Amino acid sequence: MIADERRRRLVNLVVERGSASVTALADELGVSSMTVRRDVKRLEEEGRLVSVAGGVAKPARLSLDATHRVKLGIRPREKAAIARRAAELIRPGDLLYLDAGTTMLALARLLAARPAAERVDVVTNDLAVAAAVGEHPGAQIHVLGGRLDAGNLSTDGPTAAAELAGFNIDLAFISASSFDLRGLSVPTEGKAIVKRSIAEHADRCVLVADSSKYGRRSFASVGGTEVFGEIITDDSGVRPEAAKRPGEPTSTSAMRTASSP
């Protein structure tokens, strides 16, 4: 069986079953597990399959973003651990961008708890993040304008994206509702253009997302993960290749994992 035909069969098997183990796929196709792993890696790079705990699955499609209230109850321990890891990257005097999301809210609360004498400068499109950072007595906060996403307590669209060009952001923490080996995607174009804009205008960009977002795909593509100096996630199975830089081996990828207590 030629490689292209084998990969087509592999994809069909996974789609029919929802998910499948590498061993089961190898038995079904009459090839070695190593061959299946190589095929899966190729198919994952093409966005057709995704590695999951125990095997392989079809990427889940995210059509609607959950509301801020719902997100608050999802994986709070993991998000807190990721926020602590992200805070380690902040240098004194950095002008920060905090994207919208509840992981960013956890980071905002850490910033608010910093010593009163420490300056905290934040640009954000998230109203809850702005309010949380505002608890710090020395905080300087700029909230981006634009279209209000009431469910997520954030702004997006061309106005928010254009405003970002007026700031010299030292370090941007960017969230994602879904990402895989092909990059980030979000439910609306309005959200996508804000993320593209901050990736263009910040000196350093860090993707901050828990592992439940991995292997999902949304309507609007933001771009590849190569724009991120680092990816911070939890230790629940995100492929190291997701942080791989073009031309680099996986072992030098910039993946940081955060373990919840």
Side-chain angles (χ1 to χ4, degrees), residues 60-96:
R61 181 163 290 279
L62 180 68
S63 57
L64 294 174
D65 206 2
T67 65
H68 176 84
R69 184 183 296 274
V70 170
K71 290 177 181 177
L72 282 174
I74 299 174
R75 312 192 80 195
R77 288 164 59 89
E78 288 84 352
K79 291 174 180 177
I82 291 168
R84 290 192 296 271
R85 197 80 160 106
E88 296 173 1
L89 302 180
I90 300 172
R91 302 166 182 165
D94 275 346
L95 175 57
L96 306 174

Side-chain angles (χ1 to χ4, degrees), residues 181-194:
L181 292 188
R182 295 201 303 177
L184 276 66
S185 56
V186 290
T188 68
E189 180 61 21
K191 295 179 185 297
I193 62 174
V194 174

Side-chain angles (χ1 to χ4, degrees), residues 6-224:
R6 185 180 66 244
R7 292 184 191 118
R8 280 196 296 271
R9 282 195 60 194
L10 195 159
V11 171
N12 289 337
L13 287 169
V14 173
V15 170
E16 289 171 3
R17 300 173 185 179
S19 64
S21 69
V22 170
T23 301
L25 291 168
D27 290 344
E28 186 79 25
L29 297 170
V31 296
S32 68
S33 295
M34 183 63 71
T35 297
V36 170
R37 290 191 181 93
R38 283 198 298 266
D39 284 347
V40 168
K41 181 179 179 182
R42 169 77 172 271
L43 292 165
E44 196 165 9
E45 289 170 349
E46 295 173 357
R48 298 170 66 189
L49 294 178
V50 63
S51 296
V52 296
V56 187
K58 187 177 185 297
R61 181 163 290 279
L62 180 68
S63 57
L64 294 174
D65 206 2
T67 65
H68 176 84
R69 184 183 296 274
V70 170
K71 290 177 181 177
L72 282 174
I74 299 174
R75 312 192 80 195
R77 288 164 59 89
E78 288 84 352
K79 291 174 180 177
I82 291 168
R84 290 192 296 271
R85 197 80 160 106
E88 296 173 1
L89 302 180
I90 300 172
R91 302 166 182 165
D94 275 346
L95 175 57
L96 306 174
Y97 175 77
L98 270 60
D99 207 1
T102 49
T103 303
M104 297 297 170
L105 180 58
L107 178 55
R109 288 169 175 160
L110 293 179
L111 292 174
R114 292 196 164 194
E118 186 174 330
R119 185 181 176 96
V120 177
D121 293 331
V122 171
V123 178
T124 185
N125 65 333
D126 189 301
L127 306 183
V129 164
V133 176
E135 295 294 322
H136 188 284
Q140 299 292 320
I141 306 163
H142 183 94
V143 182
L144 300 178
R147 188 193 73 92
L148 175 65
D149 179 346
N152 278 291
L153 302 180
S154 62
T155 60
D156 60 36
T159 299
E163 283 189 23
L164 282 166
F167 296 95
N168 294 315
I169 305 293
D170 296 301
L171 175 58
F173 293 106
I174 300 178
S175 61
S177 54
S178 48
F179 72 106
D180 57 20
L181 292 188
R182 295 201 303 177
L184 276 66
S185 56
V186 290
T188 68
E189 180 61 21
K191 295 179 185 297
I193 62 174
V194 174
K195 294 183 192 294
R196 294 185 200 123
S197 181
I198 189 57
E200 179 182 351
H201 291 103
D203 290 343
R204 294 181 289 152
C205 292
V206 176
L207 174 62
V208 179
D210 72 81
S211 61
S212 70
K213 313 294 177 57
Y214 182 70
R216 302 165 73 181
R217 192 176 305 157
S218 298
F219 166 75
S221 174
V222 176

